[in-house]
Amino acid sequence: MGGEGGKAVVRKMVETELVRKRGRQARAVAPLLVPKRDQLPFALGLELCGARASENPKERVGGAWTLHYVLEGCAELTAGEEDEVELHLGAGDGLIIPPDVLRSLEPCHGASKDKDPRLDVEWEFASLVAYLPECLVDPDLAHKRRTSEALHVAQALVEQNWKSGSPLGKLRQDQVVQMLEGAKRRHGSTSDESEDADLEGSEMDGTNGGLVSLRKLKDVDTYQMPNQTNRLALMFDPVRNQQINATFGVEVFEPGHITPLHVHEDGYELFFVLSGSGVGHSEGHSFDLEPGSLAVFPPKTWHGIDNLNVERLYCLELMLPNDMFAELVRSGKPVGVLDDDDLCTLINFGCG
């Protein structure tokens, strides 16, 4: 399951084991995609930070780019050594950090009075985190197929950072709902818009020659896919971020949308459902998709996602490596940015 040309890898956040992150206070992770188990050349996890996470030292991730998408809460990121970069993260933000960059993540002060470091129920900051091995996303290596090496790199990072801590129990449905609805409950329209404007599309050097890139959902260029009704808000792609051979964004499936079955020659395509529901198809099999569920379609796998409901379906979408996908998206119709209904649903921004 999950090998090239095989069936989709389908997972749900609910019932995923949550473990304390080794050597870290008030940090926990739920490994959603594990490279060796799922036969994938990258890893995906849910990371939670509590109030005492600020007491942790900085850390590095070697051999892989780190991709974040903030589900709930706010935090301050510090990256680099001599010339530090400081960025404010909030719900709906995308962040990508190069390999070996020293970084720390500190939840915003005063977001909650809870100081429980066990993170069994409460947290200040929730983020999806992906490890994208350098050997797979380096544009200079695009002519080589290095999925086996990438799998080993990603698995080593999972073993080091995600699988060696003490168990904290399984994620419950109410916790998943809390995270996915958290932007509406605690952030969104109450955030400081002037601060967001200062960080619009931030791309910060000063991290030992690397580039830390932050994108805010409300500012991301959006395209309607060629000859289809779905739209994709491109957060990161090789056209804008030439140092990575991967594409990441938020895809919007309109009610009644049917995706023609198709394949990607080299790319692994990941979908993570943020809001709405749909049906996935892979090699003659179908499965339901709901908030907190995800699917990965390996290369050469016939697949598609349909939205047969009356509400829009919102998914994070990652294509790794890019496999000319960004170029396809950009060949569609530019539609500006996500509309008010989209932003209201995802981050409670611009709601009437």
Side-chain angles (χ1 to χ4, degrees), residues 3-132:
E4 292 188 13
K7 299 176 184 177
V9 177
V10 183
R11 297 282 182 262
K12 293 184 178 182
M13 287 175 63
V14 175
E15 295 298 306
T16 302
E17 189 72 41
L18 189 67
V19 298
R20 190 190 312 278
K21 201 168 181 183
R22 187 178 68 174
R24 300 276 151 180
Q25 293 198 66
R27 295 279 293 275
V29 63
L32 301 174
L33 292 173
V34 178
K36 186 176 180 179
R37 179 194 69 191
D38 299 320
Q39 288 298 290
L40 297 173
F42 63 97
L44 180 73
L46 168 72
E47 288 199 1
L48 306 178
C49 297
R52 294 179 60 191
S54 59
E55 300 175 15
N56 292 316
K58 289 184 177 180
E59 61 184 344
R60 301 179 191 272
V61 174
W65 289 74
T66 307
L67 173 66
H68 288 261
Y69 180 84
V70 182
L71 293 176
E72 180 192 10
C74 62
E76 305 296 332
L77 174 88
T78 303
E81 297 186 55
E82 294 181 1
D83 300 316
E84 288 188 341
V85 172
E86 294 184 357
L87 296 173
H88 177 80
L89 307 180
D93 287 355
L95 176 77
I96 193 162
I97 307 173
D100 299 310
V101 170
L102 199 62
R103 81 290 298 267
S104 66
L105 199 62
E106 179 178 341
C108 298
H109 295 295
S112 170
K113 295 181 179 179
D114 181 25
K115 302 295 182 181
D116 183 357
R118 295 173 298 172
L119 287 170
D120 54 349
V121 178
E122 300 296 333
W123 57 84
E124 307 288 348
F125 182 77
S127 176
L128 288 173
V129 181
Y131 291 146
L132 312 181

Side-chain angles (χ1 to χ4, degrees), residues 224-285:
Q224 183 174 328
M225 297 291 287
N227 304 313
Q228 297 189 53
T229 61
N230 52 326
R231 294 170 288 131
L232 188 61
L234 284 174
M235 282 190 153
F236 305 111
D237 72 288
V239 177
R240 179 183 177 89
N241 307 88
Q242 297 180 6
Q243 71 276 26
I244 57 169
N245 183 28
T247 297
F248 176 73
V250 174
E251 189 158 358
V252 185
F253 297 87
E254 295 293 332
H257 173 86
I258 302 293
T259 302
L261 293 177
H262 61 285
V263 297
H264 303 289
E265 185 65 24
D266 296 315
Y268 290 78
E269 189 168 24
L270 161 71
F271 293 91
F272 178 92
V273 180
L274 296 170
S275 179
S277 59
V279 178
H281 306 281
S282 174
E283 297 292 332
H285 298 269

